[in-house]
Amino acid sequence: MTDLHRLSIRELSEGLKQAQFSSRELTEHYLKRIAKIDAKVKSYVTVTAEQALVEADAADAAIKSGNAHALAGIPLAHKDIFCTQGIKTTAGSKMLDNFISPYDATVVAKAKAAGLVTLGKVNMDEFAMGSTSESSYFGATGNPWALDHVPGGSSGGSAAAVAADLAPIATGTDTGGSIRQPASFCGLTGLKPTYGRVSRFGMIAYASSLDQGGPMARSAEDCAYLMNVIAGHDAKDSTSVDKEVDDYVANLNGTAVKGLRIGIPKQYFNVAGLDADVKARVEESLKKLEEMGATLVEIDLNMTEAYVPTYYLIAPAEASSNLSRYDGVRYGYRCENPKDILDLYKRSRSEGFGTEVQRRILIGTYALSAGYYDAYYVKAQKVRRLIQQDFLKAFENVDVIAAPSAPTTAYKIGANLSPTEMYLGDIYTLAVNLAGLPAINAPVGFDKDSLPVGLQLIGNYWSESQLLSIVHQYQQNTDWHTKRAAIAEENA
Ligand code: GLN
């Protein structure tokens, strides 16, 4: 079969079970596509071809024996922030260029236990800091819809790999938008779960109170399948929550949209940098949801102006603390010929970290320093609480909140936005992480340059199932999620 990469996760699962093709054939098919097409996209940092085929054979044997998990034998790509035993985990940094983790992240372990086949590790902004994936030590990744544009970030490799049909699904992480924004830029569906739903164990920390892993795929249905594998309590992550996990796939076919109250925040649609095409596509998608039975309700989110400054204090503060472990001593990059221990720390860190990471460490260290702690960090934490309360108040009157995922479509590679311009592009995604809420991106059309536009739906705590089923119903009534970039149409 030459078109195995066209099949959805459900179709792949059925095809494998009915022996229409084997996991080995499917895995070889994807490896062949990666070998040919990824030279142009550059989404993979590491391709684990040999190990993938071993895993595929094991999955084939399990499927034959009749007691395999529904996803056994289906390939996936992991963001290079998830630790993988025996395989390089770089977090997009020179600091970890040669780092081989002695253990698997829980997300990786769960995927393995279900029999999913790891195709490799995909590119990302260095330590997940960025919105373009250009800050990666391994170079930029192309957006499959226009290779001279970025795929977004920080999970840009995950998004590009799926959008170019170089993996059927991928894992991503979202600290301030890193699943939703690249999903938006690449025309995918991506879910940022409630904080605590997916284990952070073995997921290299950026900002621990904000980080959350989740699925990136072509449709809500595909995301639901991967969520069923990766969600759940983990004793190894003290912030993971011991709460029953929904069956995200079984719940897809509820009456999600009829009678749904969708909040439209007044403040969100008057943001200065909101692109006219993005606004138009998002409004059209909301009109469609209205036709399907939803009610649009105007709401106030008064804290909107505080999102960017609050996040860009708290995230760097936590990052500066988390990144202090990279000191050139136990693992990671070490400078040549250090004069003494101070020289070793200094040069290992200034040679091993890129500019954006160093900027965040500087800002974070400053915000946490004795004289400024109350004025910056403590104040930001107070504002964070107000942002959360703003959402909780809104959810008294609406079921979900709609927004663009990003004010623009994908930027050009090398556009060289100033840090503040780049940070302002995160306006629609940051608050969700500050509040710990779940949110989803769904593709809803294209701008005048044929670049994808995304709608974001923000839900109340633990409403992942509801978000997935709303988007699933939307996708059954529209075909934006079935559109493929020209490069995905190429055969290997
Ligand atoms: N762009 C945001 C940042 O640079 C969010 C990144 C993320 O979610 N990892 O911090």
Side-chain angles (χ1 to χ4, degrees), residues 368-410:
L368 290 176
S369 61
Y372 297 98
Y373 185 82
D374 288 337
Y376 292 111
Y377 186 69
V378 172
K379 190 162 178 193
Q381 291 291 17
K382 289 181 181 161
V383 178
R384 177 178 189 173
R385 175 54 64 93
L386 295 177
I387 292 170
Q388 183 205 26
Q389 285 170 350
D390 218 16
F391 278 109
L392 290 181
K393 208 169 128 230
F395 283 126
E396 286 172 9
N397 189 29
V398 296
D399 302 306
V400 295
I401 295 169
S405 286
T408 66
T409 52

Side-chain angles (χ1 to χ4, degrees), residues 4 125-126 150 202 221 234-236 253 300 322 373 377 469:
L4 287 174
D125 278 301
E126 186 178 6
V150 303
E221 187 185 67
D234 180 10
K236 292 178 187 151
N253 290 313
D300 265 308
N322 275 325
Y373 185 82
Y377 186 69
S469 52

Side-chain angles (χ1 to χ4, degrees), residues 128-131 154 173-178 206 311-312 360 426 430:
M129 297 172 193
S131 311
S154 66
T173 63
D174 190 312
T175 302
S178 280
Y206 163 12
Y311 173 90
Y312 277 99
R360 309 261 179 128
D426 296 336
L430 305 174

Side-chain angles (χ1 to χ4, degrees), residues 57-130:
D57 289 343
D60 281 329
I63 293 166
K64 259 208 194 107
S65 78
N67 54 6
H69 184 279
L71 297 200
I74 295 177
L76 94 166
H78 284 299
K79 184 175 182 179
D80 210 9
I81 199 167
F82 288 100
C83 285
T84 41
Q85 187 176 2
I87 299 165
K88 235 170 45 156
T89 299
T90 70
S93 183
K94 178 178 177 184
M95 188 55 95
L96 294 177
D97 183 18
N98 284 314
F99 174 62
I100 299 204
S101 168
Y103 59 86
D104 279 331
T106 295
V107 163
V108 172
K110 284 186 164 204
K112 268 190 194 169
L116 283 150
V117 172
T118 304
L119 293 169
K121 309 289 294 289
V122 283
N123 203 19
M124 55 182 282
D125 278 301
E126 186 178 6
F127 286 104
M129 297 172 193

Side-chain angles (χ1 to χ4, degrees), residues 184-208:
S184 174
F185 280 14
C186 290
L188 301 179
T189 307
L191 174 73
K192 183 265 171 204
T194 306
Y195 183 77
R197 181 71 298 177
V198 172
S199 170
R200 292 185 299 110
F201 178 77
M203 198 176 104
I204 292 177
Y206 163 12
S208 306

Side-chain angles (χ1 to χ4, degrees), residues 44 77 96 111 130 164 215 265 270 273 303 319 416:
Y44 281 81
L96 294 177
N270 293 319
M303 297 301 294
N416 240 334

